[in-house]
């Protein structure tokens, strides 16, 4: 985001970007979309910034594991998907289908 510092030289390239639809700065959203297009990075739009913040672990949970309070987040970037799981396969299939529809 805009408060981030310079990128270290050995940082892996982004694999996926999540951008909040509720971000009220249209210039910022346009910049993120342009950077994703330029770099060939998949972009997923998330309805709410607090939901995206919860996905990123910026939330406190109650005893049942439900989100009690979340910090709003406008953009999050994934550089490493981690281990191969069924959920990752579903996500990658979705991204390929989405890219084919846009082409």
């Amino acid at each position: 985001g805009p408060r981030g510092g310079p990128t270290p030289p050995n940082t892996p390239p982004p694999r996926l970007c999540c951008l909040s639809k509720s971000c009220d700065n249209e210039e910022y959203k346009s910049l993120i979309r342009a950077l994703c297009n330029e770099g060939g990075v998949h972009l997923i739009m998330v309805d709410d910034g607090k939901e995206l913040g919860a996905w990123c672990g910026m939330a406190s949970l109650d005893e049942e594991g439900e989100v009690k309070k979340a910090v709003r987040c406008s953009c999050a970037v994934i550089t490493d998907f981690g281990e191969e799981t069924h959920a990752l396969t579903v996500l990658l299939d979705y991204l390929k289908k989405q890219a084919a529809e846009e082409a």
Side-chain angles (χ1 to χ4, degrees):
R3 294 186 205 121
T7 304
N10 294 331
T11 302
R15 309 251 337 252
L16 176 66
C17 180
C18 300
L19 179 62
S20 171
K21 292 179 186 177
S22 66
C23 175
D24 53 2
N25 187 331
E26 291 301 321
E27 290 178 358
Y28 179 75
K29 291 195 304 190
S30 293
L31 173 64
I32 297 300
R33 285 186 188 106
L35 290 170
C36 288
N37 285 337
E38 182 180 299
V41 178
H42 294 289
L43 177 66
I44 291 182
M45 298 301 294
V46 180
D47 288 333
D48 183 58
K50 288 192 175 193
E51 180 181 12
L52 182 54
W55 289 0
C56 295
M58 301 186 314
S60 55
L61 307 177
D62 63 16
E63 299 81 35
E64 289 84 37
E66 298 295 320
V67 175
K68 188 167 60 172
K69 182 178 179 182
V71 176
R72 197 176 117 192
C73 178
S74 295
C75 182
V77 176
I78 297 171
T79 57
D80 184 0
F81 288 129
E83 66 184 59
E84 290 284 329
T85 63
H86 176 68
L88 177 58
T89 302
V90 170
L91 173 65
L92 294 175
D93 288 345
Y94 169 79
L95 294 173
K96 287 178 191 173
K97 181 180 175 187
Q98 186 181 38
E101 289 174 0
E102 291 174 2

